[in-house]
Amino acid sequence: MGEIFQLLKRGNRSAMLAAIVNTVIAIIKGIAYMFTGNVAMFAETMHSLGDAANQFFVFFGSALSKKAPTEKFPNGFGRLVNLVLLGAVLIVGIMAFETIREGYHHVLHPTKSGGFIINLIVLVIATLLETFVLYKAMKEVLHEVGKEVSGPTVFVKSFAHLGRAKPATKLVFMEDLVATSGGVLAILAVVIAHFTDYHRLEGIASILIGLMMFFVVGRVFLDNAAGVIGQADEEMESKIGAMVMADPDVKDIQEITVIKEGEDLHVELEIEIDPSLTVAEADDIKDRLHEKIFAENGVADVKIEIDEEDGVITWQGEKEPAETKTK
């Protein structure tokens, strides 16, 4: 029990915050829908319910993926978060289908919903809360990639670095981006439908919200399917390769592989050094590189093999032009 508690403490904080906030929002929206029968509110209720359930799954999956390797599972549990996320998107997919179906029915058979003021107040409060969670997710994205930014710049920078965020944080970011956008869309639909009597607009808004949810399903599925298989991180391979080649005692890199497993990066490296160096000097090089690579965010395991220089340059990184290396 104590081990589980310690693991939960290491779960993704953005996912936990988003799950709690979305649970509160779903309850508020659900009550508003019961009183008003507004189909856009129904879409938002389903959306928030799906997000809340999804993000609870994400939190527990990210926590359990931190479990240390065992004799039965020597490679650890890093990919567990990807498996959990693949299961979690099924929930969003079901909610998205129901949202689109209800919206389509309302477009074909539009009805006037009541409680304009209630709907508007609930949607505004919910959208503000979603915006707060989205901002926290943006800050978490930047924190995970080692960028400390504040103010309006957070919105721009977080999009630029989203690809390097942890899977759980990326999912929370995308879900709350859609939730915030969906909230704004629902507000516009409710206001315009109220003042123009064009009640089909609420159904159209519901369909659009459902389609945005399906976009999240597709994007998250593709990202995490690759994570379950074991995806090479080419950007980190290039970065670590350049860092290793910057060491004056490294003559070449024969092979470098950086594999993403859940939120962790596993690095395997084979380098060439001067054959005249002693074993002690070779160990010093290895220790130095270990320390530098482990300092990179997300690196959980580093394996370095050392070979003697063979006079043939294999690494084609940015240390110097390739044509100079092959001379």
Side-chain angles (χ1 to χ4, degrees):
M1 196 66 184
E3 182 186 1
I4 294 176
F5 180 73
Q6 290 300 319
L7 286 172
L8 291 178
K9 286 173 66 177
R10 299 172 63 189
N12 188 278
R13 291 174 297 176
S14 294
M16 188 59 180
L17 174 64
I20 293 171
V21 172
N22 274 300
T23 299
V24 174
I25 291 173
I27 293 171
I28 295 172
K29 288 177 179 177
I31 293 171
Y33 170 68
M34 288 172 61
F35 279 99
T36 65
N38 186 284
V39 71
M41 184 64 75
F42 171 81
E44 281 296 291
T45 302
M46 297 297 284
H47 190 179
S48 295
L49 275 174
D51 284 354
N54 212 1
Q55 288 152 356
F56 273 120
F57 273 116
V58 170
F59 171 74
F60 287 112
S62 66
L64 294 175
S65 70
K66 304 291 195 308
K67 183 176 171 61
T70 64
E71 186 175 339
K72 191 173 183 180
F73 299 98
N75 292 326
F77 298 83
R79 299 187 192 187
L80 182 61
V81 67
N82 298 113
L83 286 171
V84 170
L85 290 175
L86 284 176
V89 295
L90 293 177
I91 297 174
V92 181
I94 293 169
M95 297 294 185
F97 173 77
E98 289 296 325
T99 300
I100 292 173
R101 188 170 70 88
E102 187 67 21
Y104 179 71
H105 176 76
H106 191 78
V107 169
L108 294 180
H109 310 284
T111 56
K112 183 177 181 179
S113 55
F116 170 69
I117 299 299
I118 295 175
N119 285 327
L120 191 60
I121 291 173
V122 168
L123 287 172
V124 168
I125 292 173
T127 303
L128 289 174
L129 288 173
E130 293 284 11
T131 303
F132 167 73
V133 176
L134 176 60
Y135 180 77
K136 297 294 286 185
M138 288 177 168
K139 293 279 287 184
E140 189 70 15
V141 166
L142 294 172
H143 174 72
E144 289 175 359
V145 298
K147 304 287 183 182
E148 297 301 329
V149 182
S150 58
T153 316
V154 170
F155 290 88
V156 178
K157 295 290 185 181
S158 60
F159 278 97
H161 296 284
L162 182 60
R164 296 223 48 81
K166 294 178 180 178
T169 304
K170 189 186 297 186
L171 174 63
V172 173
F173 178 100
M174 292 178 62
E175 285 191 337
D176 280 291
L177 177 63
V178 170
T180 304
S181 304
V184 173
L185 191 61
I187 290 170
L188 291 174
V190 167
V191 171
I192 295 172
H194 178 75
F195 288 105
T196 65
D197 286 332
Y198 186 63
H199 301 296
R200 281 188 175 88
L201 191 59
E202 293 174 1
I204 294 171
S206 180
I207 292 172
L208 291 175
I209 291 168
L211 291 174
M212 288 192 293
M213 292 166 71
F214 267 127
F215 169 77
V216 172
V217 169
R219 177 69 185 272
V220 172
F221 178 84
L222 291 174
D223 284 351
N224 287 280
V228 168
I229 296 169
Q231 182 181 23
D233 191 327
E234 295 180 356
E235 185 178 340
M236 282 301 290
E237 286 178 358
S238 178
K239 183 178 181 180
I240 291 174
M243 178 201 305
V244 170
M245 286 299 292
D247 190 291
D249 291 317
V250 176
K251 303 303 180 183
D252 191 20
I253 298 175
Q254 287 189 9
E255 187 176 354
I256 179 170
T257 306
V258 180
I259 299 294
K260 276 184 180 179
E261 290 195 357
E263 298 179 353
D264 298 331
L265 297 174
H266 297 267
V267 181
E268 294 186 8
L269 184 66
E270 186 175 353
I271 62 173
E272 294 180 5
I273 63 173
D274 191 328
S276 65
L277 294 176
T278 65
V279 173
E281 289 171 326
D283 278 342
D284 287 342
I285 297 170
K286 192 173 181 178
D287 292 341
R288 187 165 65 236
L289 293 177
H290 260 109
E291 185 177 352
K292 287 182 179 179
I293 296 171
F294 265 119
E296 290 296 314
N297 189 39
V299 174
D301 181 47
V302 180
K303 295 179 181 178
I304 299 177
E305 294 183 9
I306 294 179
D307 200 355
E308 63 180 28
E309 184 182 11
D310 60 9
V312 178
I313 298 298
T314 303
W315 174 253
Q316 298 293 318
E318 299 179 356
K319 189 172 184 181
E320 54 183 292
E323 52 268 27
T324 302
K325 291 181 165 191
T326 54
K327 286 181 180 178

